Amino acid sequence: MATESANGVSSPELNERDVVITTNDNRNFTVKIGVARVSKTINNMIQDLGESLDLSSGIPLPNVDGPIFEKVLEWCEEHKNAPEIKVEQDPHTRERKWFTMTEWEEEYFRKFLSHLWDLAMAANYLEIPSLYYYTCQKLAERIKGRTPEQIREMFGIEDDLTEEEKAEIRRTNVWCTY
Amino acid sequence: MRPRRAVSATRLPHEILKRVFSYLYLRDLAACMRVCRHWFSVLEHYCSPVWEYHTRREVPDSALSDPYMFGELTSFKEKLRAFHFAWNPKDSSRNNFLRTNGKIGVSTGVHAWEIVWEGPLGTVAVIGVATKHAAMQCHGYIPLLGSDDQSWGWNLVDNQVIHNGTMRPYPGTNNPPKYQPLSYAYYNLTLLVELYFEKGSEFLGVAFTQIPPVKLYPAMCAVYGNTEITLIYMGPTIVG
């Protein structure tokens, strides 16, 4: 059953149809299926429901709230026809290659800089590899070269380690800084 | 719409933090560990995928698959740490007086290195510690390590400890066994304010006292052509 209906759902006409998605704060978003399925989680739900999919009654997303889903949808709209991204390693340095972002993507992250952790969580749950990997890379970019104090301040993290604990962690990991 | 506060970074799933951390270098990871308890908990596990990723990136495959190299170090973080403390290839003599120093020096605390001497000892075989100012090359078959005031060495061939050119028998027992050339030898070099050696788990007594609190690097000195010496940092140890 899954394969037949899945084939049916993949048709281009269906991508143009609307689906209603309900976030955990009971907001309804009417989205083109072609955009919504950038999320593998939503795509799987659409495929699983197959013929029985009632496009008007909506797909519930219990783990994402409206304001974040709005931002995620902006990404999906821009990336609806984008090819799957690949995580690659440089064969010489064995470092993970950093993704090169487009002007649009750079602007997107500049706009939502204070929501990077939410975006990473949502993208992880919704299985949107491009958004997930790019957001994590952005977060790493922000952490790079900063002191623990600066990192805490930037992300509003409470300092819950004692001075002794911090000194001990520093002492036993000092080799990392060479 | 109600104003929304960004999600607290202290509630983030480990999976996401691990992914972010794998983009960072060790220097940044050292900072991340001190950010908060939650972040530390992601990095404190010595076998975390983050450490695995960095170990595979930095340490050559041949070293990782070598059954002897990291024999007693099972976790990725320990292997990576050992690799960081290993011989520095840039710091050695260019002729056949091979003398190399570790990449990382230590100045306080108790640290142990395991030294495996594979192959003949030759006429000169010295292990010990040196400051970064110690001489690196010389002419003739003489034990370089211990020849100046910047290094402290133990010549395994004639059981003498040397510092600033002065020799003294070590270990201090009557007729200590000479080590058989042409065999494997395991030495544990342990440093605190005093330098002492262990052979296997046998404590050989304090070799040097009054070592100044300057940064010291593990060092060795050999003259025999085919000697292979392995240095493995075992971590800061507890005296007991």
Side-chain angles (χ1 to χ4, degrees):
Chain A
M1 163 229 143
T3 47
E4 263 181 35
S5 51
N7 287 341
V9 176
S10 316
S11 62
E13 308 87 69
L14 203 104
N15 280 345
E16 287 306 310
R17 286 169 64 187
D18 287 331
V19 63
V20 176
I21 294 167
T22 311
T23 52
N24 65 5
D25 46 357
N26 283 322
R27 279 179 64 188
N28 289 329
F29 291 82
T30 308
V31 190
K32 291 254 181 299
I33 287 186
V35 174
R37 67 180 356 160
V38 172
S39 152
K40 287 186 188 167
T41 306
I42 298 179
N43 188 42
N44 288 343
M45 289 189 209
I46 294 174
Q47 297 211 339
D48 287 348
L49 290 169
E51 297 296 311
S52 63
L53 175 65
D54 179 357
L55 296 174
S56 56
S57 73
I59 294 177
L61 288 184
N63 290 328
V64 186
D65 66 14
I68 284 300
F69 192 60
E70 226 173 347
K71 299 175 178 66
V72 172
L73 277 181
E74 249 185 73
W75 182 273
C76 295
E77 176 65 43
E78 175 73 14
H79 293 82
K80 63 184 173 201
N81 297 319
E84 186 106 352
I85 59 154
K86 270 200 223 110
V87 180
E88 286 178 300
Q89 257 184 27
D90 188 310
H92 300 295
T93 62
R94 303 199 203 190
E95 273 173 43
R96 183 167 294 145
K97 280 191 190 164
W98 285 56
F99 299 106
T100 323
M101 300 198 191
T102 64
E103 195 40 54
W104 186 95
E105 287 158 352
E106 290 288 358
E107 179 54 36
Y108 178 87
F109 287 119
R110 262 197 294 277
K111 205 161 60 173
F112 301 134
L113 207 53
S114 53
H115 297 282
L116 292 182
W117 294 112
D118 302 84
L119 285 173
M121 296 244 279
N124 186 29
Y125 164 69
L126 291 168
E127 279 186 74
I128 308 173
S130 56
L131 183 59
Y132 181 51
Y133 291 136
Y134 284 31
T135 310
C136 287
Q137 180 177 311
K138 262 282 161 238
L139 282 162
E141 219 175 281
R142 304 215 69 205
I143 292 170
K144 231 177 188 139
R146 291 197 150 88
T147 64
E149 294 71 34
Q150 290 167 329
I151 296 169
R152 259 181 248 124
E153 194 180 345
M154 179 167 60
F155 297 130
I157 299 172
E158 194 199 332
D159 184 3
D160 58 358
L161 290 165
T162 65
E163 289 310 311
E164 293 76 46
E165 283 170 321
K166 277 181 279 191
E168 175 67 11
I169 298 172
R170 186 197 196 95
R171 197 182 66 76
T172 51
N173 292 285
V174 75
W175 58 274
C176 287
T177 56
Y178 288 92
Chain B
M1 200 199 311
R2 72 192 155 87
R4 215 176 154 283
R5 235 184 74 84
V7 78
S8 162
T10 50
R11 286 192 291 111
L12 288 160
H14 277 211
E15 193 190 340
I16 294 176
L17 284 168
K18 278 182 211 156
R19 161 70 49 185
V20 173
F21 291 157
S22 66
Y23 278 102
L24 297 169
Y25 283 120
L26 296 181
R27 181 178 287 276
D28 294 307
L29 292 184
C32 286
M33 275 186 262
R34 284 181 285 132
V35 165
C36 66
R37 210 168 286 282
H38 182 67
W39 284 31
F40 178 63
S41 72
V42 176
L43 292 165
E44 75 171 323
H45 297 292
Y46 279 28
C47 265
S48 150
V50 181
W51 296 114
E52 179 174 356
Y53 167 74
H54 286 286
T55 306
R56 295 206 184 281
R57 183 171 63 77
E58 285 195 29
V59 185
D61 292 336
S62 55
L64 281 180
S65 55
D66 187 320
Y68 299 107
M69 190 78 84
F70 297 118
E72 285 184 30
L73 306 174
T74 48
S75 76
F76 285 108
K77 189 177 175 185
E78 283 174 307
K79 288 176 186 172
L80 187 59
R81 182 178 67 189
F83 183 71
H84 270 238
F85 275 94
W87 302 125
N88 182 351
K90 290 185 204 128
D91 235 10
S92 87
S93 160
R94 267 160 299 163
N95 53 36
N96 60 352
F97 299 108
L98 184 72
R99 154 104 178 259
T100 29
N101 283 354
K103 283 184 262 205
I104 301 184
V106 295
S107 53
T108 54
V110 185
H111 301 267
W113 289 267
E114 184 184 85
I115 294 170
V116 181
W117 199 289
E118 202 171 326
L121 290 178
T123 50
V124 174
V126 189
I127 59 173
V129 291
T131 71
K132 62 181 177 184
H133 302 296
M136 282 292 164
Q137 292 191 49
C138 68
H139 296 286
Y141 288 91
I142 61 161
L144 182 56
L145 192 63
S147 63
D148 54 20
D149 63 353
Q150 300 292 325
S151 54
W152 292 259
W154 175 30
N155 193 339
L156 307 174
V157 179
D158 55 8
N159 278 337
Q160 300 268 354
V161 283
I162 324 158
H163 171 60
N164 209 2
T166 324
M167 289 193 230
R168 183 159 52 75
Y170 177 88
T173 50
N174 275 338
N175 262 336
K178 290 257 167 102
Y179 297 112
Q180 293 299 312
L182 295 166
S183 67
Y184 281 91
Y186 293 86
Y187 298 99
N188 231 327
L189 184 160
T190 308
L191 179 76
L192 72 162
V193 244
E194 300 159 336
L195 180 65
Y196 63 91
F197 297 91
E198 282 174 15
K199 188 196 178 211
S201 55
E202 179 196 350
F203 176 64
L204 300 177
V206 174
F208 293 105
T209 52
Q210 293 171 332
I211 290 180
V214 291
K215 198 150 253 198
L216 295 166
Y217 301 80
M220 51 69 55
C221 169
V223 293
Y224 195 84
N226 291 323
T227 312
E228 264 190 43
I229 297 112
T230 314
L231 171 79
I232 300 166
Y233 180 67
M234 304 303 284
T237 58
I238 298 147
V239 200

